């Protein structure tokens, strides 16, 4: 699977740098998806999870910078913080060997698309009409 199999024009928020970061998040997700059945390859799995969760944090703070003037920025930051808390829980479960990889892979895919399409797109559209 590659990014062209996932990315759709309606995922664009109209901000090239943020779109590029969202695409990169899907690429990290593809990496995780391709490794999910290699339960004996725990180092690679841990690396794939950490790569995605570390990059998400960098991306969130970048996005929050562009959306800083939006009146509902605090709600958006809270959604990001909740995701980071969830990712920390996943990492704990991974280390306790209680994490179901397919559940995580499905959760991440749906969360990313729903967040980009419903939340990010609305915020970027509203910030652009302001200036
Ligand atoms: Fe966001």
């Amino acid at each position: 699977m590659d990014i062209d199999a996932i990315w759709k024009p309606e995922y664009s928020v109209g901000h090239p740098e943020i779109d590029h970061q969202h695409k990169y998040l899907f690429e990290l997700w593809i990496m995780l998806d391709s490794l999910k059945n290699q339960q004996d390859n725990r180092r690679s799995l841990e690396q794939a999870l950490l790569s995605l969760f570390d990059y998400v944090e960098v991306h969130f703070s970048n996005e929050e910078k562009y959306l800083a003037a939006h009146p509902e920025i605090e709600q958006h930051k809270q959604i990001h913080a909740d995701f980071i808390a969830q990712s920390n829980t996943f990492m704990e479960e991974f280390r306790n060997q209680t994490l179901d990889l397919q559940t995580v892979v499905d959760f991440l895919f749906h969360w990313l698309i729903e967040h980009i399409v419903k939340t990010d797109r609305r915020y970027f559209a509203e910030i652009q009409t302001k200036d």
Side-chain angles (χ1 to χ4, degrees):
M1 199 191 314
D2 69 9
I3 184 69
D4 296 324
I6 293 178
W7 188 264
K8 297 189 180 128
E10 63 259 36
Y11 299 164
S12 172
V13 300
H15 187 295
E17 185 185 341
I18 294 298
D19 285 346
H20 184 80
Q21 293 183 358
H22 285 156
K23 283 183 185 173
Y24 189 59
L25 282 170
F26 282 116
E27 282 172 4
L28 292 169
W29 178 87
I30 290 166
M31 177 68 77
L32 179 65
D33 184 56
S34 72
L35 291 169
K36 75 186 174 211
N37 295 323
Q38 299 179 31
Q39 299 288 350
D40 50 335
N41 199 348
R42 292 192 50 84
R43 264 187 101 85
S44 301
L45 271 173
E46 182 171 29
Q47 213 43 62
L49 286 164
L50 286 175
S51 298
L52 200 155
F53 294 149
D54 287 351
Y55 187 71
V56 153
E57 284 202 50
V58 172
H59 163 66
F60 282 167
S61 52
N62 202 258
E63 196 178 84
E64 287 164 12
K65 195 179 67 189
Y66 288 120
L67 298 174
H70 193 285
E72 292 170 58
I73 184 61
E74 289 310 318
Q75 286 95 312
H76 200 143
K77 281 185 175 178
Q78 188 56 51
I79 294 168
H80 288 170
D82 290 345
F83 180 91
I84 291 168
Q86 178 65 67
S87 71
N88 289 333
T89 303
F90 285 148
M91 288 314 297
E92 261 176 58
E93 290 172 352
F94 179 79
R95 288 172 182 135
N96 296 335
Q97 310 213 25
T98 57
L99 186 68
D100 181 62
L101 262 304
Q102 187 61 58
T103 303
V104 179
V105 161
D106 291 344
F107 168 84
L108 292 173
F109 190 75
H110 292 113
W111 192 96
L112 281 172
I113 290 177
E114 180 146 328
H115 183 72
I116 290 169
V117 171
K118 291 196 178 151
T119 306
D120 292 340
R121 282 197 64 173
R122 176 170 74 82
Y123 272 72
F124 276 97
E126 288 169 355
I127 214 98
Q128 271 158 18
T129 51
K130 278 187 69 183
D131 37 56

